[in-house]
Amino acid sequence: MLQQLIQELESQKNPEHAKNLQRFFKTKKGEYGEGDIFLGIKVPIQRKIANKYNLNLTDLQTLLDSKIHEHRLVALIILTKKYQKTKSKEIIDFYLKNTKNINNWDLVDLSAHKILGEYLLDKEKTILYTLAKSKNLWENRISIISTFAFINNNQFEDSLKLAKMLINHKHDLIHKAVGWMLREIGKKDQQILEDFLKKYYKKMPRTMLRYSIERFEEKKRQIYLNK
């Protein structure tokens, strides 16, 4: 089954689109996606292929170890589906063992809240704070994006604590992720978001602030941006 999936992905490759993706996901030397290889397959096609297969963790490990981005993305789609069916702690352990392979923002964003976040909804959340303190950019992003599951269940405390922890992070991808989660809190309860902003908006990187206030009325947005 694994080889069949790999062959099916290979049959869908698009070299021209792959070049565009290599640029978009910053794969040059020194960039955040350095060394990532793309086949050039659009995500809906990858999802369609992934939905045909129910691979075991050994085969998923092979895909996650691959330098080909689409291999890792398809593996995470399958893993997410497996977790949603089984709610297995084994899958959580597998996910955490593979954070080094969940190494671009799209891979984090399609999986973290649906696997780790969902699992931690009613559990102790120390692991997220450990990930937030990591020197690995992707573990930092996993920590905050996982809390999307909490926000969807009207639990905001950990998202806000992690936002505060990550407020001085150096990377734009974390600024965007934190701003996104703050914006999601604002959709649920704008007052809670504004209470956070009143304390921290002067310390927040501009991108983080812009993302967090994106849904505010223009007059209020400008007040925060121009203060």
Side-chain angles (χ1 to χ4, degrees):
M1 277 183 95
L2 174 61
Q3 287 309 312
Q4 187 178 335
L5 184 154
I6 289 171
Q7 287 169 10
E8 191 166 353
L9 287 172
E10 193 70 20
S11 73
Q12 295 291 329
K13 69 181 180 181
N14 182 329
E16 194 57 39
H17 188 47
K19 288 179 186 176
N20 295 333
L21 290 172
Q22 303 266 156
R23 287 192 293 271
F24 183 71
F25 284 99
K26 308 293 185 187
T27 61
K28 291 181 182 177
K29 187 171 178 60
E31 294 182 321
Y32 64 73
E34 180 180 344
D36 215 349
I37 297 168
F38 285 81
L39 298 175
I41 307 170
K42 292 182 178 179
V43 173
I45 296 173
Q46 294 182 67
R47 286 191 180 278
K48 191 174 180 180
I49 292 170
N51 286 335
K52 297 179 185 179
Y53 296 89
N54 181 22
L55 301 183
N56 59 39
L57 294 184
T58 301
D59 287 344
L60 290 176
Q61 186 66 63
T62 299
L63 290 175
L64 285 169
D65 287 336
S66 172
K67 291 186 177 181
I68 296 172
H69 190 94
E70 287 87 347
H71 288 182
R72 303 196 305 284
L73 191 145
V74 165
L76 289 166
I77 292 171
I78 295 170
L79 189 69
T80 298
K81 187 170 64 174
K82 284 175 82 73
Y83 177 72
Q84 290 172 342
K85 283 183 179 178
T86 66
K87 308 298 183 187
S88 164
K89 176 64 163 58
E90 183 184 19
I91 290 174
I92 300 303
D93 294 340
F94 180 81
Y95 188 82
L96 290 170
K97 186 183 79 171
N98 275 284
T99 52
K100 68 182 186 299
N101 295 321
I102 306 167
N103 57 354
N104 220 312
W105 58 263
D106 61 326
L107 304 179
V108 173
D109 295 359
L110 72 83
S111 64
H113 62 295
K114 292 180 179 177
I115 298 178
L116 187 57
E118 289 286 341
Y119 175 75
L120 292 173
L121 262 175
D122 58 353
K123 295 178 180 65
E124 204 272 335
K125 299 170 176 62
T126 303
I127 183 61
L128 296 184
Y129 295 88
T130 301
L131 293 171
K133 293 174 185 175
S134 168
K135 293 181 179 178
N136 182 297
L137 168 66
W138 308 115
E139 291 189 342
N140 302 155
R141 190 164 174 117
I142 287 168
S143 72
I144 189 67
I145 297 297
S146 291
T147 71
F148 199 180
F150 310 162
I151 296 167
N152 285 334
N153 283 269
N154 296 307
Q155 298 176 21
F156 309 134
E157 183 181 358
D158 291 288
S159 303
L160 294 170
K161 285 181 179 177
L162 287 162
K164 183 181 174 183
M165 279 180 66
L166 294 168
I167 211 163
N168 294 315
H169 201 285
K170 294 179 180 179
H171 206 289
D172 186 60
L173 286 174
I174 301 302
H175 304 167
K176 290 176 180 177
V178 172
W180 173 20
M181 291 304 103
L182 290 172
R183 184 175 73 233
E184 294 301 323
I185 290 173
K187 287 182 189 177
K188 297 279 191 177
D189 190 324
Q190 186 165 316
Q191 190 58 54
I192 288 176
L193 171 57
E194 290 204 58
D195 289 345
F196 182 86
L197 291 175
K198 284 170 187 173
K199 288 182 183 178
Y200 300 111
Y201 78 94
K202 289 183 180 179
K203 299 178 183 178
M204 292 166 71
R206 197 72 167 175
T207 299
M208 188 185 294
L209 178 61
R210 282 186 179 278
Y211 268 59
S212 66
I213 63 175
E214 198 172 77
R215 292 175 61 89
F216 283 12
E217 59 178 17
E218 184 60 21
K219 185 177 178 181
K220 184 169 279 190
R221 283 185 69 253
Q222 291 305 321
I223 288 171
Y224 279 105
L225 291 171
N226 295 324
K227 275 182 180 180

